[in-house]
């Protein structure tokens, strides 16, 4: 995510009680309900226990005029325990029916929790499919920091943005970054206008029938729920390929096309530069979505295709493309680890400037330290490795001070070892999840004999402004 300056960025228990009560209805059941949350430090109700999702198959139909979404979600998952019941995250929307392995299942709603009681228990290690049919007017979610996410209506359609917990506003799932999956997303829209439906991955086909046009998208690499997106609107679409054959799909609101053309034209150059610095690109396509999204002041690194709520500038585009390595491929294990995503993307901006006639990374570091950066002294509000609350996980310390941590590592090990670290980190956790502890251990392993004690203690976890010569 990129936020422009100066913007700095229980019902679950009831669901468990209900699931326990349901599990008691059948004698001899050995399974227990999966947890109704993963106890994330900042979003304890996000995600669910007892299973891992492998694939989402979402068939969506959206009527912009009536602002109504109708969906069928087929979720393939593996049970990680004997399950008598499990939860999915879904906020708002009306559930018509639920089935597990083709058999009708009982279900209950409590806040964002959709508790599902299968016809028979699921055994640990078993792969199973859950089908949820639902409809309604999707909600815009306001996160603890005051930003809007979820299903965001535009003048001619909608854009879905999920960070941190907005994806549950438009499809049921295990809405936590630690559970990544592959996706098939098909979106049907009225065929009598200029509407296009854009999503992650690659466009596999467009069909028309009974007054609807259906766009089918496939994402083959694992993706966290918060990175999934759908954009419906009148778009100017450009398709091309990079020199290495990588497909590029760019969708821009026509009113923003002229103002975006020059910056978006730098995608090939930025991608080549990014691969030189961060290693091989981890996905099978790249591109961008540029739309007019009122009330949204941030860009988001939606996988394969970052989303911009207006004409992007070069730094923001660099930031979101860098996220494809750090945040999208290497995804934080919890929202406490968000600095691992944002620090790399912010430092990529510093490196791009350094390599393209702007300030050196050291000069940018000094400006930020002196309070002359875009976010002034807000950078010292809390340590990047330990945000003070869910409301501030997208604030300046996570971005700027996180980037300062990376620069201190670079100063300690030198350029050659630093680039070995950042490229190796992206390769070691490609398409996976990682925590802050994983990162600090990795750095220490890659640079034996170097002392990182002060960096971790004062720059990553320390309160206030560290001493600096």
């Amino acid at each position: 995510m990129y936020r422009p300056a100066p913007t700095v960025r229980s019902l679950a228990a009831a669901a468990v009680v209900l699931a326990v009560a349901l599990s008691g209805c059948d004698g001899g059941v050995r399974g227990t309900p999966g947890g109704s949350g993963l106890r994330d430090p900042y979003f304890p109700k996000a995600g669910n226990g007892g299973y891992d999702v492998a694939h989402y198959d979402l068939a969506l139909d959206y009527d912009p005029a009536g602002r109504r979404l109708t969906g069928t979600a087929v979720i393939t998952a593996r049970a990680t325990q004997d399950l008598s019941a499990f939860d999915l995250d879904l906020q708002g929307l009306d559930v018509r029916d639920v089935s597990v392995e083709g058999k009708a299942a009982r279900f209950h709603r409590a806040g964002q929790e959709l508790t599902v009681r299968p016809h028979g228990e699921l055994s640990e290690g078993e792969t199973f499919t859950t089908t949820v049919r639902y409809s309604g007017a999707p909600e815009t979610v306001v996160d603890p920091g005051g930003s809007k996410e979820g299903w965001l209506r535009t003048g001619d359609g909608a854009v879905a943005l999920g960070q941190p917990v907005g994806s549950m506003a438009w499809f049921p799932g295990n809405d936590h970054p630690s559970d990544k999956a592959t996706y098939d997303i098909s979106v049907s829209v009225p065929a009598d206008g200029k509407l296009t439906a854009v999503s992650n991955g690659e466009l596999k086909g467009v069909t028309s029938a009974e007054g609807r046009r259906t766009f089918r998208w496939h994402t083959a690499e694992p993706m966290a729920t918060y990175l999934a997106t759908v954009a419906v609107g009148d778009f100017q679409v450009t398709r091309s390929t990079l020199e290495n054959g990588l497909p590029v799909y760019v969708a821009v609101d026509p009113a923003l096309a002229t103002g975006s053309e020059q910056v978006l034209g730098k995608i090939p150059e930025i991608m080549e530069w990014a691969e030189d610095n961060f290693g091989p690109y981890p996905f099978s396509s790249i591109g961008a979505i540029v739309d007019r999204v009122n009330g949204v002041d941030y860009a988001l690194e939606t996988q394969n295709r970052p989303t911009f709520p207006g004409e992007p500038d070069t730094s923001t585009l660099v930031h979101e493309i860098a996220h494809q390595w750090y945040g999208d491929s290497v995804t934080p294990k919890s929202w406490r680890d968000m600095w691992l995503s944002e620090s790399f993307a912010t430092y990529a901006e510093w490196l791009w400037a350094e390599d393209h006639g702007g300030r050196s990374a050291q000069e940018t570091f000094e400006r930020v330290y002196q309070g002359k950066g875009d976010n002034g002294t807000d950078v010292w509000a809390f340590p990047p490795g330990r945000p003070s609350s869910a409301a501030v996980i997208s604030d300046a310390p996570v971005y700027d001070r996180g980037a300062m941590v990376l620069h201190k590592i670079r100063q300690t090990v030198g350029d050659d070892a630093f680039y070995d670290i950042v490229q190796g980190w992206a390769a070691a956790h490609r398409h996976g999840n990682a925590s802050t502890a994983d990162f600090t251990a990795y750095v220490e392993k890659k640079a034996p004999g170097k002392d990182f004690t002060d960096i971790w203690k004062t720059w990553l976890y320390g309160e206030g402004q560290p001493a600096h010569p």
Side-chain angles (χ1 to χ4, degrees), residues 125-189:
E126 178 180 353
T127 297
F128 63 97
T129 60
T130 302
T131 301
V132 182
R133 293 196 294 174
Y134 59 99
S135 62
E139 299 181 3
T140 294
V141 178
V142 179
D143 68 28
S147 292
K148 295 179 179 180
E149 60 196 71
W151 193 264
L152 305 162
R153 292 191 295 270
T154 61
D156 54 7
V159 173
L161 299 176
Q163 185 173 299
V165 291
S167 293
M168 64 182 176
W170 60 282
F171 70 94
N174 199 17
D175 196 9
H176 190 267
S178 62
D179 192 0
K180 302 169 73 170
T182 57
Y183 285 72
D184 282 289
I185 300 177
S186 66
V187 187
S188 297
V189 297

Side-chain angles (χ1 to χ4, degrees), residues 5 26 37 60 73 103 108 125 127 132 167 170 203 220 246 254 278 309 316 327 398 461:
D26 296 329
L60 309 175
K103 296 182 179 180
H108 177 78
T127 297
V132 182
S167 293
W170 60 282
L203 182 63
L246 190 75
F278 309 138
T316 308
V398 173
Y461 288 117

Side-chain angles (χ1 to χ4, degrees), residues 230-287:
V230 165
V232 174
D234 177 9
F235 292 114
Q236 179 176 304
V237 174
T238 303
R239 303 179 71 169
S240 61
T241 57
L242 301 183
E243 288 187 2
N244 61 7
L246 190 75
V248 182
Y249 186 104
V250 175
V252 184
D253 183 293
L256 303 174
T258 299
S260 302
E261 182 177 9
Q262 183 177 5
V263 171
L264 294 176
K266 296 180 181 180
I267 288 177
E269 179 187 3
I270 294 171
M271 285 291 292
E272 182 179 2
W273 172 86
E275 287 199 290
D276 286 344
N277 284 275
F278 309 138
Y281 181 63
F283 301 118
S284 49
S285 66
I286 189 61

Side-chain angles (χ1 to χ4, degrees), residues 211-237:
R212 313 292 290 178
R213 293 183 74 203
T214 301
F215 297 78
R216 295 184 296 105
W217 294 86
H218 175 68
T219 302
E221 298 88 7
M223 178 167 68
T225 50
Y226 81 92
L227 298 171
T229 189
V230 165
V232 174
D234 177 9
F235 292 114
Q236 179 176 304
V237 174

Side-chain angles (χ1 to χ4, degrees), residues 294-364:
N294 292 331
V296 172
D297 62 355
Y298 62 88
L300 186 62
E301 61 270 20
T302 44
Q303 193 159 303
N304 305 96
R305 199 152 290 107
T307 302
F308 304 89
E311 299 169 1
D313 59 29
T314 300
S315 290
T316 308
L317 183 59
V318 168
H319 184 106
E320 302 307 333
I321 286 179
H323 267 311
Q324 304 303 304
W325 282 261
Y326 308 105
D328 293 16
S329 177
V330 185
T331 303
K333 280 186 179 178
S334 81
W335 289 113
R336 176 175 287 168
D337 304 306
M338 187 169 171
W339 83 277
L340 284 175
S341 174
E342 299 300 346
S343 65
F344 277 96
T346 301
Y347 199 63
E349 295 181 66
W350 297 13
L351 294 175
W352 174 268
E354 181 175 79
D355 291 345
H356 292 82
R359 295 187 182 96
S360 68
Q362 179 63 33
E363 290 171 330
T364 303

